[in-house]
Amino acid sequence: MRLIAYCKTSVKHLQVGDKEITAVAHIVYTLAESFSEISSNKHYSSKFQSHKAHAERQTLKFNSHDMETYNTPFSIDELLDALSSSNDSVVGPDDIHCQMLKHLPSEVLNTLLIILDDIWLTGNFPSTWRQSYVVPIPKPGKDTSDPTNYRPIALTSCVCKVIERMVNNRLVCYLERNKIITPTQSGFRKGRSTTDQLVRLESFVREAFIQKQHYCYFL
């Protein structure tokens, strides 16, 4: 997917070396260059770049007859569940707000479901959903004139976020129900957190002391 980003900024000026940048278009371009530089592959080691290139050339070995439960059309309940758990995030380029979607009448919701199902079944992803507004957020306590002291926040379509949530809910349900995710994973799972891993680590340490499997090192 190619992301077409439009940078919204209230930044008044940037300083690059001895050059002060005040023109809005030049500020946007400079910030975009900085964000691109930060996410560039060249920051990876040559070994990792080689591994990444090799892995991306591999054909995924996946067989499907499109009749699996996770490939079926979405239901109105799945749409309502996704809408109810949607946060009131800032709108993307399409100017459609989450609150607008949450208060749609039932007839319009059914029409929206038909549209989302068509996208899901045909794979015809709307080109406008590949667009986002990128807002530069200054890092706390940092020099705001330095373009490297900003974090990019992408504002995408709320409608796109809804179908993303629907797909994610369905896949997570399938993975959990079929016990495909390892029991030791806590990240990105309901009812799990980093606390679980801290408790596991503490248990391992306590067990090691009980079994006298610890070592003392003296400097």
Side-chain angles (χ1 to χ4, degrees):
M1 182 191 302
R2 183 170 69 93
L3 181 65
I4 306 174
Y6 300 95
C7 188
K8 282 186 165 183
T9 178
S10 59
V11 182
K12 301 303 180 184
H13 80 283
L14 294 174
Q15 192 76 32
V16 179
D18 296 329
K19 185 177 181 181
E20 184 179 33
I21 302 170
T22 56
V24 174
H26 201 179
I27 289 175
V28 171
Y29 179 79
T30 303
L31 288 171
E33 272 195 327
S34 177
F35 296 152
S36 177
E37 169 68 19
I38 292 171
S39 60
S40 172
N41 287 348
K42 69 181 183 181
H43 295 294
Y44 301 141
S45 66
S46 56
K47 183 178 180 180
F48 180 79
Q49 288 190 42
S50 176
H51 170 76
K52 181 174 180 289
H54 175 75
E56 290 174 345
R57 285 195 297 268
Q58 303 304 307
T59 302
L60 293 177
K61 296 178 181 179
F62 178 75
N63 295 319
S64 171
H65 49 69
D66 290 334
M67 297 303 292
E68 293 86 358
T69 54
Y70 50 75
N71 283 331
T72 56
F74 290 107
S75 67
I76 190 66
D77 288 334
E78 288 179 291
L79 173 58
L80 292 173
D81 181 61
L83 286 173
S84 65
S85 59
S86 298
N87 296 320
D88 291 334
S89 55
V90 182
V91 298
D94 58 11
D95 288 330
I96 298 177
H97 199 281
C98 284
Q99 281 297 325
M100 182 190 302
L101 299 174
K102 289 181 178 181
H103 291 85
L104 290 174
S106 57
E107 295 84 358
V108 181
L109 277 175
N110 286 321
T111 301
L112 175 61
L113 179 63
I114 292 172
I115 294 171
L116 296 180
D117 272 333
D118 182 71
I119 293 170
W120 173 243
L121 297 175
T122 63
N124 294 324
F125 196 81
S127 59
T128 55
W129 287 1
R130 293 180 171 88
Q131 301 175 356
S132 71
Y133 288 132
V134 176
V135 181
I137 305 297
K139 298 176 182 179
K142 299 290 186 178
D143 179 10
T144 56
S145 67
D146 186 345
T148 63
N149 287 335
Y150 288 86
R151 292 190 179 93
I153 302 297
L155 308 179
T156 56
S157 167
C158 288
V159 183
C160 182
K161 290 177 183 176
V162 169
I163 193 171
E164 285 175 354
R165 189 170 285 106
M166 292 164 69
V167 173
N168 182 70
N169 290 344
R170 181 175 286 189
L171 290 178
V172 168
C173 180
Y174 178 84
L175 294 173
E176 295 283 7
R177 183 180 301 163
N178 292 277
K179 302 185 184 304
I180 297 175
I181 303 176
T182 173
T184 58
Q185 178 177 328
S186 293
F188 308 102
R189 300 180 73 179
K190 281 187 177 179
R192 303 286 192 93
S193 69
T194 53
T195 304
D196 295 276
Q197 301 296 27
L198 292 174
V199 171
R200 291 184 70 240
L201 175 60
E202 182 187 29
S203 299
F204 290 151
V205 172
R206 288 181 180 274
E207 185 67 23
F209 273 100
I210 293 172
Q211 300 296 330
K212 300 186 183 303
Q213 295 174 342
H214 60 283
Y215 299 90
C216 293
Y217 293 92
F218 298 94
L219 296 178

